[in-house]
Amino acid sequence: MESPPTLLWFRRDLRLSYQAALVAAVGEGPVVPVYVLDDETPKHRRMGAASRWWLHHSLTRLDAALREKGSRLILRRGRADAVLAELAAETGARRVHAIRHYEPWWRNAERAVAKRIELVCHDGNYLAPPGSVTTGGGTPYKIFTPFWRALRERMPPAVPVAAPDAIPGPAQWPQSDALADWNLLPTRPNWASGFDDWTPGEGGARERVAAFVDHASRYDEQRNLPSIEGSSRLSPHLHFGEVSPATVWHCVADAGGSVETFLGELGWRDYAQNVILQFPDYAARNARDRFDALPWRSSPSELKAWQQGRTGYPIVDAGMRQLWATGWMHNRVRMIAASFLIKHLLIDWREGERWFWDTLVDADYGSNAVNWQWTSGTGIDSNLFVRIMAPLSQSEKFDAAGYIRRWVPELAGLSDTAIHDPDAAGCRPRGYPAKIIGHREARERALAAVRSIG
DNA sequence: AGGAGGTTCCT
DNA sequence: GGAACCTCC
């Protein structure tokens, strides 16, 4: 008589290499890999549209990779605890293996699953298990730099384990939904037609890592230049767990050169999870609650102008259009565009967080919330509200002319010097909007707003 | 040992 | 402002 299968519950860990839950499940006999599309557990935090596009393709690749190893991916839809209990009853499984997640709704779901069936959670989506890096006093860190110092001490991470050669399956496979029925892809309009630079899935992640390793030694000098391919572009692959951060760490560190800045970015990713573990509602509340009294402006038309890239600030508009067209925005430009919404338009950072949640292929609850609160100055990690980025000087400083030409074609004919500020250069083309508000005026308005709350 | 108070710094 | 670490008792 064959032993009963165990369930392998995939979430944001869509890989076969260095997948601790997979290794554990295979060690116990037959495995039933399952992905549950659960829009009920996260409630209003269900995956955004761009993430769904990514998920569709990543699940396709994961199923293909599993089939090469004699397995397959079972797709089910519904509340994770109910679906897993049901699948366990169908297959005779008595245990679930999964990688642990730290979004508040996943922590709730893990508790709910554990009430119905034995759930074994594993680490591996972060450099160190979130919550495990603590201060001398034994409490979790709140500030990045001391957190990173302590985490760095514990590095490098353990060397990643390869995928198993074969994954045994059950005598009889349970039913699976058809992926197409989940309607994860856009239909009309197909806003994802420009997403073709991306290759979701573990293979695509591996290619991105390899491509990045070639220029990782220039990361420090090029990562802030949006006209250049200087960043790693690994964020969506890391978010969906198509590659583990430990794997990225070792590939990059082995490449040599000065990669410390990049490793720090991996550390920042861990830091964000540590913050949402301490403050689960970080995307919903100002960490410094005196900002609850800040007189945010309500302007649906200006919010829309920002979303659509029609603010009259070329660097902001280029970024917002790149986001819409490709599901991704260069990090330096994210900071400029976010700062512009918060300080120049004085619109609540949560509006921006929401938009990014829906439009980014790398939308991550922890990273998104931590980065928005950092930019706004409402976060646990300082950065003062009164530090207001000057979008035009940022655009010049980081040499964004080429980037603007690519994403704001109306301005493609302008010179390298005029393109950052067509109004000031007296050569704004018809069809490109005037500045929605002047820099000085916006700056003074923001400073007055923050002064008004003491 | 553990708490008070000083210092430094904050992707 | 306040977190984290240090020194001092």
Side-chain angles (χ1 to χ4, degrees):
Chain A
M1 163 111 190
E2 197 184 318
S3 60
T6 54
L7 303 184
L8 171 57
W9 179 25
F10 280 107
R11 281 178 290 178
R12 303 195 294 94
D13 40 35
L14 307 178
R15 64 177 181 274
L16 302 185
S17 296
Y18 205 40
Q19 224 288 14
L22 169 63
V23 172
V26 166
E28 291 175 7
V31 181
V32 175
V34 54
Y35 184 88
V36 184
L37 181 63
D38 183 350
D39 284 334
E40 297 170 44
T41 296
K43 300 197 179 77
H44 61 286
R45 274 293 162 181
R46 63 173 175 265
M47 240 181 260
S51 299
R52 286 172 183 269
W53 175 91
W54 191 285
L55 177 67
H56 177 99
H57 295 293
S58 196
L59 291 177
T60 303
R61 306 303 308 178
L62 181 64
D63 181 56
L66 284 166
R67 282 174 191 270
E68 280 172 25
K69 297 187 182 292
S71 183
R72 66 178 67 171
L73 183 62
I74 300 302
L75 303 175
R76 293 287 174 100
R77 185 169 199 166
R79 246 180 55 181
D81 58 328
V83 169
L84 291 172
E86 196 179 287
L87 190 59
E90 284 173 36
T91 58
R94 288 195 284 265
R95 184 177 294 152
V96 180
H97 285 284
I99 301 265
R100 194 186 303 282
H101 286 64
Y102 297 88
E103 288 85 349
W105 60 89
W106 281 139
R107 292 204 286 141
N108 290 337
E110 285 164 16
R111 275 190 289 272
V113 169
K115 279 187 190 153
R116 292 173 172 243
I117 184 172
E118 187 188 349
L119 173 66
V120 186
C121 283
H122 303 264
D123 298 317
N125 264 11
Y126 298 97
L127 292 172
S132 71
V133 180
T134 53
T135 66
T139 56
Y141 285 98
K142 295 188 163 57
I143 306 293
F144 173 73
T145 304
F147 169 82
W148 172 234
R149 251 196 306 269
L151 174 60
R152 186 71 184 81
E153 286 281 305
R154 288 171 49 171
M155 296 292 106
V159 175
V161 181
D165 292 329
I167 302 170
Q172 192 158 17
W173 283 98
Q175 288 283 331
S176 170
D177 291 359
L179 183 58
D181 292 344
W182 283 3
N183 297 317
L184 297 172
L185 298 177
T187 49
R188 277 183 299 259
N190 177 18
W191 42 258
S193 60
F195 282 28
D196 44 12
D197 258 6
W198 298 112
T199 308
E202 192 169 11
R206 204 174 297 122
E207 286 165 21
R208 267 298 172 202
V209 172
F212 176 59
V213 162
D214 286 339
H215 64 98
S217 62
R218 287 188 306 254
Y219 178 80
D220 202 20
E221 67 183 79
Q222 294 188 339
R223 69 184 188 123
N224 280 315
L225 308 177
S227 302
I228 287 177
E229 185 87 359
S231 64
S232 73
R233 289 188 179 248
L234 285 169
S235 52
H237 297 292
L238 281 163
H239 171 75
F240 282 96
E242 297 166 355
V243 61
S244 74
T247 303
V248 174
W249 180 291
H250 284 285
C251 290
V252 170
D254 290 352
S258 76
V259 295
E260 210 48 39
T261 305
F262 178 78
L263 299 180
E265 295 301 321
L266 286 179
W268 183 255
R269 183 177 168 277
D270 266 47
Y271 168 71
Q273 298 302 311
N274 276 269
V275 172
I276 60 161
L277 189 55
Q278 295 176 70
F279 307 99
D281 59 354
Y282 208 70
R285 301 178 67 85
N286 296 309
R288 290 157 195 266
D289 52 17
R290 75 181 189 93
F291 286 98
D292 291 353
L294 198 83
W296 297 111
R297 295 173 61 249
S298 167
S299 172
S301 65
E302 291 185 12
L303 176 60
K304 199 163 188 186
W306 177 79
Q307 290 170 339
Q308 297 182 340
R310 292 186 289 100
T311 67
Y313 284 77
I315 185 64
V316 174
D317 294 342
M320 297 308 294
R321 294 185 198 187
Q322 180 186 34
L323 171 59
W324 183 253
T326 70
W328 185 86
M329 197 195 310
H330 188 278
N331 182 58
R332 168 57 45 180
V333 189
R334 288 189 199 197
M335 290 194 275
I336 300 169
S339 173
F340 186 86
L341 180 76
I342 300 162
K343 314 282 172 74
H344 285 68
L345 299 182
L346 211 55
I347 290 175
D348 195 319
W349 61 269
R350 285 163 285 211
E351 294 283 358
E353 193 276 337
R354 273 285 167 192
W355 182 250
F356 275 23
W357 178 256
D358 199 37
T359 54
L360 280 169
V361 288
D362 63 27
D364 181 277
Y365 179 80
S367 293
N368 203 32
V370 165
N371 287 321
W372 274 96
Q373 290 228 47
W374 180 79
T375 300
S376 72
T378 58
I380 195 72
D381 53 339
S382 194
N383 194 17
L384 304 174
F385 188 95
V386 293
R387 270 189 212 140
I388 296 170
M389 257 186 189
L392 302 172
S393 10
Q394 288 274 312
S395 185
E396 287 171 14
K397 182 177 174 191
F398 297 109
D399 204 14
Y403 179 78
I404 293 168
R405 277 193 198 98
R406 169 144 189 222
W407 295 111
V408 190
E410 306 98 285
L411 302 178
L414 272 60
S415 73
D416 275 9
T417 47
I419 199 167
H420 306 288
D421 190 354
D423 273 327
C427 56
R428 178 165 58 81
R430 269 198 304 275
Y432 185 71
K435 288 190 190 111
I436 199 167
I437 186 170
H439 175 61
R440 183 165 305 181
E441 184 193 342
R443 191 184 144 74
E444 277 160 17
R445 183 171 68 184
L447 291 174
V450 77
R451 242 182 278 121
S452 77
I453 61 170

